[in-house]
Amino acid sequence: MKKVNTFLILLMIASGFMVSCTHQTKENNDATTIAMKGDPASETKTAVPIMTFAETKFDFGTVTEGDILKHTFSFTNTGNAPLVIVNAKGSCGCTVSDWPKQPIAPGETKEMRVAFNTNGKPNAQNKQVTITTNTTAGKHILKIKAMVTPKAKSLVSGAPISK
């Protein structure tokens, strides 16, 4: 009799575990199904700014050393949240940029001006401006290039010939 009672007690405990595991699995399956189907009440559209440029590259062509080249890049916030430009840094000290410091509203178009000082930079030049923003990408690159014709040098002193 003692063996039968012990067996019945163990059987009840095992049944209890099986029922509780089955119940937990059912709940997990229901949660997975909801997650896969999507819960319209909990779904929200995330507000994200998107920086869209009319162009990201510009070629100044052939220029004379000493020229200061300027180009304006136009961009639009095509996202659904304000766009913030944190920084815009040139690849060297000869390349500088000027950008809007205030947040740019969705749908708004603004400009970023880039200047390149060719003094002391003869021959082919490829420069870039790295823009840090609050977009998903976080960084955007603008590229400029030019073929810089060197200044003529004096044969006597090595100094440029004045015009």
Side-chain angles (χ1 to χ4, degrees):
M1 180 83 165
K2 211 174 196 187
K3 288 183 181 182
V4 173
N5 285 342
T6 306
F7 177 74
L8 288 175
I9 292 172
L10 289 175
L11 183 61
M12 287 187 334
I13 291 172
S15 298
F17 281 125
M18 289 176 27
V19 169
S20 67
C21 288
T22 303
H23 179 70
Q24 186 176 4
T25 304
K26 171 104 173 79
E27 285 178 4
N28 287 345
N29 286 342
D30 290 345
T32 303
T33 303
I34 291 170
M36 289 185 346
K37 288 182 183 173
D39 183 7
S42 67
E43 286 184 16
T44 57
K45 294 193 184 241
T46 305
V48 179
I50 300 171
M51 190 175 207
T52 305
F53 284 90
E55 63 179 344
T56 58
K57 298 176 184 176
F58 186 77
D59 185 350
F60 288 102
T62 302
V63 299
T64 303
E65 182 181 354
D67 289 350
I68 295 178
L69 310 175
K70 296 178 182 177
H71 183 71
T72 301
F73 290 92
S74 179
F75 64 92
T76 303
N77 178 1
T78 57
N80 58 0
L83 168 66
V84 177
I85 300 173
V86 178
N87 195 10
K89 183 175 170 109
S91 54
C92 71
C94 62
T95 307
V96 295
S97 59
D98 181 33
W99 69 91
K101 307 301 190 266
Q102 299 300 318
I104 297 118
E108 194 172 4
T109 298
K110 293 288 184 176
E111 295 177 339
M112 177 172 292
R113 288 174 287 291
V114 175
F116 169 51
N117 184 348
T118 64
N119 196 31
K121 305 285 183 194
N123 304 315
Q125 297 294 317
N126 292 293
K127 304 297 178 187
Q128 69 181 33
V129 175
T130 302
I131 305 161
T132 306
T133 68
N134 67 331
T135 61
T136 303
K139 294 198 185 276
H140 305 273
I141 306 281
L142 299 177
K143 295 182 179 186
I144 57 171
K145 71 179 190 173
M147 175 53 78
V148 181
T149 304
K151 292 180 184 176
K153 303 232 180 193
S154 164
L155 296 176
V156 178
S157 67
I161 299 174
S162 59
K163 294 182 182 179

